[in-house]
């Protein structure tokens, strides 16, 4: 399962909701309250699951794995349940998101107990 924007980004992919929310913060578009909520959510996720970039720095490298995207595994319920807070931020700023599910998200370049990073096929 993946939560992503509905508009392709500059590299031709659909940015994930985490990238969209953090992008709004980098662009200075969030209110002080929204920024506080995002920081708390980021802190929670950073503590709750491994960051592929920590152990596999190339997993999200566009030059090495073009189009690579992170997907939640079905058993990651505790992580999926908290995505709503991230979805609220892009929605409040007119950025549409969607939930996508796939039994085959692509060629897996990273995997742990709660997620995979996969490069789409074809």
């Amino acid at each position: 399962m993946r939560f992503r924007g509905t508009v392709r980004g500059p590299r031709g992919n659909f940015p994930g909701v985490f990238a969209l929310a953090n992008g709004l913060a980098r662009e200075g578009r969030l209110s002080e309250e929204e920024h506080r909520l995002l920081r708390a959510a980021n802190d929670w996720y950073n503590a709750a699951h491994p960051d592929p970039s920590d152990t596999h720095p190339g997993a999200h490298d566009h030059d090495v794995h073009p189009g690579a995207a992170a997907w939640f595994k079905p058993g990651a319920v505790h992580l999926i349940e908290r995505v709503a807070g991230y979805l609220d931020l892009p929605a409040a700023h007119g950025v549409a998101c969607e939930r996508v599910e796939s039994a085959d998200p692509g060629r897996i370049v990273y995997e742990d107990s709660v997620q995979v990073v996969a490069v789409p096929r074809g």
Side-chain angles (χ1 to χ4, degrees):
M1 180 181 314
R2 177 167 170 75
F3 297 89
R4 66 182 193 185
T6 60
V7 176
R8 290 187 185 274
R11 292 186 171 161
N13 64 338
F14 293 96
V17 68
F18 299 105
L20 292 171
N22 285 294
L24 290 168
R26 275 191 308 282
E27 294 168 4
R29 295 175 57 188
L30 299 183
S31 70
E32 188 174 312
E33 176 65 10
E34 289 171 326
H35 190 74
R36 187 186 65 70
L37 292 171
L38 177 62
R39 181 72 262 146
N42 282 346
D43 290 346
W44 186 89
Y45 271 96
N46 289 339
H49 75 85
D51 181 345
S53 300
D54 291 341
T55 56
H56 293 77
H60 287 288
D61 185 322
H62 180 72
D63 294 328
V64 177
H65 301 295
W71 294 74
F72 287 113
K73 288 183 171 182
V77 176
H78 67 293
L79 299 174
I80 295 166
E81 288 174 340
R82 299 208 38 166
V83 170
Y86 279 92
L87 293 170
D88 291 344
L89 291 172
H93 293 271
V95 178
C97 291
E98 64 185 355
R99 174 181 163 162
V100 180
E101 295 185 30
S102 175
D104 181 16
R107 180 177 53 85
I108 296 174
V109 298
Y110 171 85
E111 182 172 9
D112 62 37
S113 63
V114 294
Q115 66 187 320
V116 298
V117 176
V119 176
R121 301 189 194 284

